[in-house]
Amino acid sequence: MQYRLLGRTQLKVSVIGFGASPLGNVFGETDPKEGERAVHMAIDEGINFFDVSPYYGLTLAEERLGKALQGYRGSIVLSTKCGRYGTGEFDFSARRVFASIDESLRRLRTDYVDLLQAHDIEFGDMKQIIEETVPAMRQLQQQGKVRYIGVSGYPLTVLMRVASSISVDTILSYCRYNLLADDLDADLVPFAEAHGIGLINASPLHMGVLTNQGAPAWHPAASEVYRAAKEAAEFCRLHDADISELALRFCFDYMRVATTLVGMATQDRVSKSLRAFQTSADPQMVRQVRAILAPVFNQFWPSGRKENQ
Ligand code: NAD
């Protein structure tokens, strides 16, 4: 495994990060015992960064991850979130932030997390995030309940607006750098580098789009994105390759983020991520797949137009 420093924090995180949302059945029913084995396998193979949230499976992912991490806490870097508690349920008040961390710590069976992130801040009131949420998170840092703090979300403009108004240690951005999108590289990376902010790249498979099984029903992209991804997956199959492996490798190679979070809940997924990490991507194959995906590249939701992100 390789490790990179997360911005100016002292956290050295594995290039493959363990995205724990599938442990909460976000992508369909998963077996808790198998999820536990996947966590242990990941740790044995050197994956040390684990990302979860109270939102994933409405606390189920935190419960399961906490159980699986018993006895391993000292050797891993643990990140959870606050502010999002359901599909349309958000509360970024200081009061909720203080209660939320105590609930998360109980579920995660620990007395601190390495990183606490305000979850999907575009759904909150920016004034409140800047004047109340982030300062409350800094108080938790002073109390020793969290080591570092960050924000997460989809619209890069919102993430950058908040991070230029108040200091944060990390930004988690999803579906902005993979075979289907790259505006993280043009917009967020220069900003983060200038401010010494650590970057976490999530959803290398575009939340399940770049897979043979396809995206989950709740996925927000336009239907032409799924059609193009299906064609790309088929092209890979015909050439004895796997679209997911190619997509993962593409992200692991990207040096301007500290880690790439892959959603995993089975040993098979962990070994596939490791295999992608160990094999190099055929540049010609990457070019051909990108050509198939080109018509839907950097197509953003909900409207598909970047300026509306
Ligand atoms: P992803 O792109 O990793 O896709 C996950 C889906 O792909 C799951 O169905 C998983 O089983 C499947 N998958 C994983 N490896 C595969 C493989 N080798 N072959 C075929 N299918 C495979 O998306 P994600 O789970 O959304 O993102 C990863 C993690 O990033 C999340 O678990 C979460 O921790 C984090 N995240 C955070 C935010 C946020 O804070 N707003 C948003 C998105 C993701």
Side-chain angles (χ1 to χ4, degrees):
M1 187 48 54
Q2 287 168 16
Y3 302 87
R4 296 179 194 150
L5 261 181
L6 185 54
R8 290 190 189 143
T9 73
Q10 287 169 3
L11 304 175
K12 252 189 151 178
V13 291
S14 47
V15 166
I16 305 178
F18 193 108
S21 67
L23 290 180
N25 296 341
V26 167
F27 291 89
E29 203 70 27
T30 58
D31 172 15
K33 284 261 173 285
E34 177 57 14
E36 210 167 309
R37 287 191 287 268
V39 168
H40 297 162
M41 180 186 186
I43 295 172
D44 288 346
E45 296 292 341
I47 294 174
N48 75 345
F49 186 51
F50 289 80
D51 177 76
V52 72
S53 164
Y55 170 49
Y56 302 148
L58 308 178
T59 71
L60 184 63
E62 278 194 337
E63 288 282 1
R64 288 180 171 176
L65 185 62
K67 183 161 184 284
L69 288 178
Q70 275 184 295
Y72 294 92
R73 177 67 189 92
S75 54
I76 61 115
V77 176
L78 182 57
S79 158
T80 193
K81 310 195 183 80
C82 60
R84 181 161 205 179
Y85 304 98
T87 308
E89 202 185 316
F90 297 88
D91 187 345
F92 291 99
S93 67
R95 209 177 116 133
R96 190 70 189 95
V97 170
F98 294 138
S100 189
I101 188 70
D102 289 337
E103 293 160 15
S104 289
L105 293 178
R106 218 169 21 251
R107 287 189 289 267
L108 291 166
R109 307 183 193 205
T110 183
D111 54 6
Y112 75 98
V113 290
D114 298 283
L115 180 63
L116 179 68
Q117 301 167 85
H119 196 169
D120 289 341
I121 57 168
E122 66 269 30
F123 294 99
D125 169 52
M126 286 310 105
K127 190 167 155 32
Q128 184 182 43
I129 304 275
I130 293 161
E131 293 177 7
E132 193 176 330
T133 318
V134 174
M137 292 163 79
R138 284 288 181 212
Q139 277 190 50
L140 294 177
Q141 186 181 31
Q142 280 158 11
Q143 293 167 14
K145 291 181 180 178
V146 316
R147 290 183 66 198
Y148 298 99
I149 66 156
V151 289
S152 86
Y154 182 64
L156 299 182
T157 46
V158 173
L159 293 167
M160 290 189 285
R161 197 181 321 143
V162 166
S164 40
S165 304
I166 188 156
S167 152
V168 296
D169 305 313
T170 65
I171 294 178
L172 184 161
S173 155
Y174 69 99
C175 292
R176 296 292 190 173
Y177 188 88
N178 58 43
L179 286 175
L180 274 166
D182 72 348
D183 67 335
L184 177 136
D185 184 65
D187 299 343
L188 186 56
V189 164
F191 172 85
E193 286 175 353
H195 291 79
I197 295 172
L199 283 185
I200 300 163
N201 184 28
S203 308
L205 305 175
H206 219 63
M207 300 195 299
V209 175
L210 296 165
T211 62
N212 286 323
Q213 69 268 23
W218 50 258
H219 201 285
S223 53
E224 58 264 28
V225 174
Y226 309 133
R227 272 199 298 277
K230 203 167 169 206
E231 193 188 324
E234 188 54 33
F235 175 84
C236 287
R237 257 199 307 272
L238 285 172
H239 292 81
D240 251 352
D242 180 85
I243 183 78
S244 300
E245 191 171 315
L246 199 75
L248 291 176
R249 179 74 245 184
F250 179 78
C251 290
F252 299 153
D253 280 339
Y254 184 57
M255 297 297 289
R256 300 180 83 186
V257 296
T259 183
T260 296
L261 287 173
V262 191
M264 302 185 275
T266 62
Q267 295 177 94
D268 181 57
R269 294 282 191 252
V270 175
S271 46
K272 283 193 168 132
S273 293
L274 291 164
R275 201 174 61 207
F277 180 69
Q278 283 147 6
T279 51
S280 48
D282 173 358
Q284 198 185 338
M285 187 64 122
V286 172
R287 264 197 305 278
Q288 286 169 310
V289 166
R290 292 191 83 175
I292 295 171
L293 298 174
V296 293
F297 192 70
N298 274 345
Q299 200 180 90
F300 300 96
W301 58 76
S303 67
R305 285 170 51 222
K306 187 175 176 185
E307 59 273 23
N308 280 353
Q309 59 178 307

